[in-house]
Amino acid sequence: FFLMRRRPPRSTQGVSSAASDVYKRQEAKKTSEGMMFGTPQEILQKLLSNPSTNEYFKDRDFNAKLQTIYGNPQSLFALMRTDPRFVKVFHLISGIPMSEIQEANLRSQETQWEMQRKSEEEAHFREMQEKEKARMEAERKMSEEERKYSQLKQKAEEEKLKGNEAYKLKKLDVALE
């Protein structure tokens, strides 16, 4: 008799390999469960392997802030507003480009600038109204001759502004009228 070693059919060989892959994936999922961008060890490895963020670890304050993120991942977003280093940290661990974050910040700043511009325009408008009111009050107190002189001066200023605008637009024939 020859002793032959019996091999399992080919179909079961692939199944056992697939089952072990599923088991390995489940184990990996358990270790990173609760952490959006990986385990603290994985995050630390990403940050240490990057030359620009590696420098941050020399600062004790950065290390303390990083520890608070491990305890409370939501604090990362608050730190991104106060410490620009954490914008880069977020980019590295999440893969979201910094340009998108910066665009959101820029939109927020543009909204603030727009509000500031509107308030400045309103203040300017109120100032112009007050000046016009004061001019009209002064004009009311003027004599007839002073009033005519003031009106002629105002018309001359308006013509001057029109001429300057035409000159800027290279309409010399209109500017010299």
Side-chain angles (χ1 to χ4, degrees), residues 89-102:
V89 167
F90 180 74
H91 167 63
L92 278 173
I93 63 176
S94 70
I96 297 174
M98 289 176 16
S99 61
E100 291 178 18
I101 296 166
Q102 290 169 340

Side-chain angles (χ1 to χ4, degrees), residues 4 9 21 52 76 98 100 102 104 108 110 131 140 156 159 165:
M4 292 183 63
D21 286 348
S52 61
L76 173 62
M98 289 176 16
E100 291 178 18
Q102 290 169 340
S108 171
E110 285 174 350
K131 283 183 179 180
R140 196 171 49 125
E159 288 295 321
E165 288 299 317

Side-chain angles (χ1 to χ4, degrees), residues 26-130:
Q26 286 176 342
E27 286 300 310
K29 187 177 179 183
K30 285 180 186 175
T31 59
S32 65
E33 207 169 273
M35 298 299 290
M36 184 180 284
F37 303 115
T39 64
Q41 293 81 17
E42 292 168 342
I43 293 171
L44 186 62
Q45 185 60 38
K46 283 181 186 178
L47 296 175
L48 287 171
S49 65
N50 187 295
S52 61
T53 55
N54 188 2
E55 294 294 316
Y56 299 160
F57 286 93
K58 295 176 183 174
D59 181 14
R60 288 184 181 181
D61 184 47
F62 176 81
N63 289 322
K65 289 177 180 178
L66 194 60
Q67 289 300 319
T68 61
I69 292 172
Y70 290 147
N72 179 13
Q74 295 292 332
S75 64
L76 173 62
F77 299 107
L79 286 172
M80 286 171 58
R81 283 185 242 127
T82 58
D83 191 341
R85 297 177 295 184
F86 283 94
V87 173
K88 188 164 195 114
V89 167
F90 180 74
H91 167 63
L92 278 173
I93 63 176
S94 70
I96 297 174
M98 289 176 16
S99 61
E100 291 178 18
I101 296 166
Q102 290 169 340
E103 284 176 15
N105 288 339
L106 184 60
R107 280 192 297 268
S108 171
Q109 287 177 348
E110 285 174 350
T111 303
Q112 290 173 353
W113 292 332
E114 186 67 26
M115 289 173 53
Q116 181 180 358
R117 188 185 61 77
K118 283 182 181 180
S119 67
E120 288 172 357
E121 284 178 359
E122 289 171 0
H124 179 69
F125 180 72
R126 281 191 299 265
E127 183 182 326
M128 294 303 290
Q129 280 182 328
E130 289 173 9

